[in-house]
Amino acid sequence: RARLATGDTTGALSDFQTAEAAPDGALAAEARYRRAATLFAQGKLADAETAADAAIRASAGYDTWVVRGYFLIADVLAARG
């Protein structure tokens, strides 16, 4: 998240992908969501939707991140019009 704060979205995406493999399931679930959200912020709507869907499927049991994933998909659909 520190890279996002400085505007380094490319570095943040790389960090999130690394964190997705973390043994801590909560950390991995957050990383999956944040990667999708960063793609959305970059305007990569198709990639963001795909990543959010994958995050939802892989994050069962981490309700906060699953719900945020659904909201992100809603944001993607709204951005598409």
Side-chain angles (χ1 to χ4, degrees):
R1 289 187 276 168
R3 288 190 193 223
L4 280 180
T6 63
D8 181 7
T9 56
T10 302
L13 285 172
S14 176
D15 290 348
F16 292 143
Q17 279 188 302
T18 300
E20 287 178 30
D24 178 353
L27 177 64
E30 179 180 358
R32 287 188 285 269
Y33 165 78
R34 295 217 182 264
R35 185 168 64 84
T38 300
L39 291 167
F40 177 75
Q42 289 178 331
K44 298 177 180 177
L45 300 181
D47 292 339
E49 183 178 8
T50 300
D53 181 60
I56 290 165
R57 293 173 189 274
S59 300
Y62 298 97
D63 296 344
T64 297
W65 302 112
V66 169
V67 171
R68 285 184 181 203
Y70 281 117
F71 283 137
L72 183 57
I73 288 176
D75 288 342
V76 168
L77 296 174
R80 285 186 181 159

